[in-house]
Amino acid sequence: MRERQTDRRARRAREFQAFVGGAGGRLLHAATLLTGDGAAARRLLTGDGAAARRLLARALADTYADWDRLRGEDPYDHTRRQLAIRFAHTAWRYRRGGDGVLGRLTPQQRLILVLRLYEGVAEEQTAALLGLPAERVRVICARAVGTLRAGPPQARRRPRVAEAVR
């Protein structure tokens, strides 16, 4: 009996480790986009981006706790859902003003944009996950894309030194 439990735990740990090895990079990138860590690549390479790593670690802990109950459910979808839920509950920490491209977006816009465009989650699924109507998700996503396409606000743009001297 005890050997069975040990074998089951070892198998569970191996399966989870294989899942994290395969999906961890993409999930970390999604977490980095959500938290608004600007220089994402540099921070990931140097070990910075602690907010993204904390967010992902908590989502992965939830997935590991539910691992035996997943039974046919995609663990990536489960972890992504946990990542989105945890981000939504702590979104006040990630207000506008990050140094990245997505820093001009509100946390809600960032979450919807990452789920819809980076992760490819359907509009209806995103709406159900966030408890919003699908039309609202469509509007928020369109505004976020519009904000990104518009570029930085004119007030933030500084003239070049050579232009200011003329």
Side-chain angles (χ1 to χ4, degrees):
M1 178 77 164
R2 191 165 230 154
E3 288 179 24
R4 270 189 178 167
Q5 284 182 335
T6 304
D7 290 344
R8 193 176 321 134
R9 287 181 186 150
R11 181 179 41 81
R12 176 184 185 196
R14 283 191 309 274
E15 289 173 355
F16 185 75
Q17 188 175 17
F19 162 69
V20 172
R26 184 174 172 99
L27 287 165
L28 182 57
H29 191 218
T32 302
L33 291 172
L34 288 173
T35 57
D37 286 341
R42 180 183 42 108
R43 288 184 180 174
L44 289 175
L45 292 174
T46 61
D48 294 342
R53 285 187 284 114
R54 266 193 317 275
L55 184 65
L56 179 58
R58 290 180 179 135
L60 286 171
D62 289 340
T63 300
Y64 187 73
D66 294 339
W67 192 259
D68 291 334
R69 291 185 296 260
L70 291 179
R71 287 196 177 65
E73 184 183 347
D74 183 8
Y76 187 87
D77 286 340
H78 185 273
T79 307
R80 181 178 53 213
R81 189 171 44 252
Q82 293 303 318
L83 194 67
I85 290 168
R86 287 201 168 270
F87 177 78
H89 286 291
T90 60
W92 59 271
R93 295 180 188 166
Y94 309 107
R95 58 191 176 278
R96 288 184 195 189
D99 56 351
V101 173
L102 301 181
R104 295 192 317 269
L105 302 178
T106 66
Q108 185 182 47
Q109 287 174 327
R110 222 178 304 152
L111 178 57
I112 290 173
L113 193 76
V114 169
L115 287 174
R116 293 282 296 121
L117 301 181
Y118 179 71
E119 287 292 321
V121 178
E123 192 172 272
E124 295 77 21
Q125 289 177 314
T126 302
L129 176 64
L130 301 177
L132 296 171
E135 181 61 31
R136 183 73 182 136
V137 168
R138 184 178 307 118
V139 168
I140 292 170
C141 189
R143 283 187 184 152
V145 169
T147 299
L148 293 177
R149 283 186 179 159
Q154 293 294 337
R156 287 190 191 173
R157 291 187 184 164
R158 295 181 183 161
R160 293 182 179 167
V161 175
E163 292 173 3
V165 174
R166 291 183 193 168

